[in-house]
């Protein structure tokens, strides 16, 4: 993985990231727009981690830390680049960030229907917690 470069996203990367997620991410989110990603990068410039190979975006993860908990979102690897260790490298970068910030436990948003992702998360040492259920309220239409 010596040719894999990790770096935080900048404002100049946002259109590329949004286009990448349409190809590589499972499902869409209410926050998958330029305003949402701009707010993320402005609020926490180190949270959106990009993996590049030969200058091409091949993976992303959002490693958000609110001072209390470590949250992982948008772990996505380009379909043509999967099973090459990119997802593992992104998670390692996210976990290093969390440890540096004082985080103690990471959690991930993983769609129930995304069985491929379940295998990847389990392989990385994450397990589902059946006693928890996500409760959601949308603030916009």
């Amino acid at each position: 993985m010596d040719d894999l470069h990790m770096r935080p996203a900048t404002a100049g990367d946002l259109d590329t990231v949004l286009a990448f997620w349409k190809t590589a991410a499972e499902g869409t989110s209410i926050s998958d727009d330029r305003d949402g990603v701009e707010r993320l990068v402005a609020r926490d410039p180190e949270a959106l981690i990009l993996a590049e190979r030969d200058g091409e975006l091949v993976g992303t993860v959002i490693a958000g830390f609110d001072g209390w908990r470590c949250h992982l979102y948008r772990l996505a690897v380009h379909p043509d680049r999967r099973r090459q260790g990119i997802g593992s490298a992104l998670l390692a970068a996210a976990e290093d960030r969390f440890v540096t910030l004082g985080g103690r436990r990471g959690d991930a948003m993983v769609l129930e229907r995304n069985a491929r992702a379940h295998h990847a998360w389990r392989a990385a040492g994450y397990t589902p917690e059946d006693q928890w259920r996500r409760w959601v309220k949308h603030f916009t239409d």
Side-chain angles (χ1 to χ4, degrees):
M1 291 313 255
D2 292 337
D3 61 340
L4 192 65
H5 175 68
M6 303 289 205
R7 67 175 180 86
T10 66
D13 296 312
L14 303 186
D15 291 331
T16 301
V17 168
L18 288 165
F20 177 81
W21 285 343
K22 287 180 181 175
T23 300
E26 178 73 20
T28 58
S29 165
I30 194 170
S31 302
D32 285 357
D33 60 23
R34 185 162 178 94
D35 288 342
V37 183
E38 275 180 347
R39 277 191 303 279
L40 169 68
V41 171
R43 184 182 181 283
D44 188 351
E46 304 289 318
L48 176 52
I49 301 169
L50 307 182
E52 297 174 322
R53 183 173 282 151
D54 299 324
E56 175 191 357
L57 180 60
V58 295
T60 67
V61 68
I62 297 173
F65 181 63
D66 60 14
W68 182 259
R69 294 215 169 97
C70 307
H71 303 285
L72 294 157
Y73 309 92
R74 280 296 183 233
L75 175 63
V77 175
H78 191 281
D80 296 338
R81 303 294 186 116
R82 291 182 181 153
R83 306 205 46 87
Q84 298 176 18
I86 296 167
S88 296
L90 282 161
L91 283 177
E95 292 167 0
D96 288 346
R97 170 179 156 73
F98 292 150
V99 170
T100 298
L101 293 171
R104 299 183 204 169
R105 177 184 69 185
D107 65 53
M109 300 286 295
V110 183
L111 291 171
E112 280 293 321
R113 70 176 186 264
N114 192 348
R116 180 187 350 236
H118 296 186
H119 296 294
W121 285 102
R122 276 192 175 85
Y126 291 78
T127 57
E129 289 189 333
D130 293 330
Q131 70 271 25
W132 297 101
R133 180 71 51 206
R134 180 175 178 220
W135 292 44
V136 176
K137 177 181 179 181
H138 292 272
F139 300 128
T140 61
D141 294 332

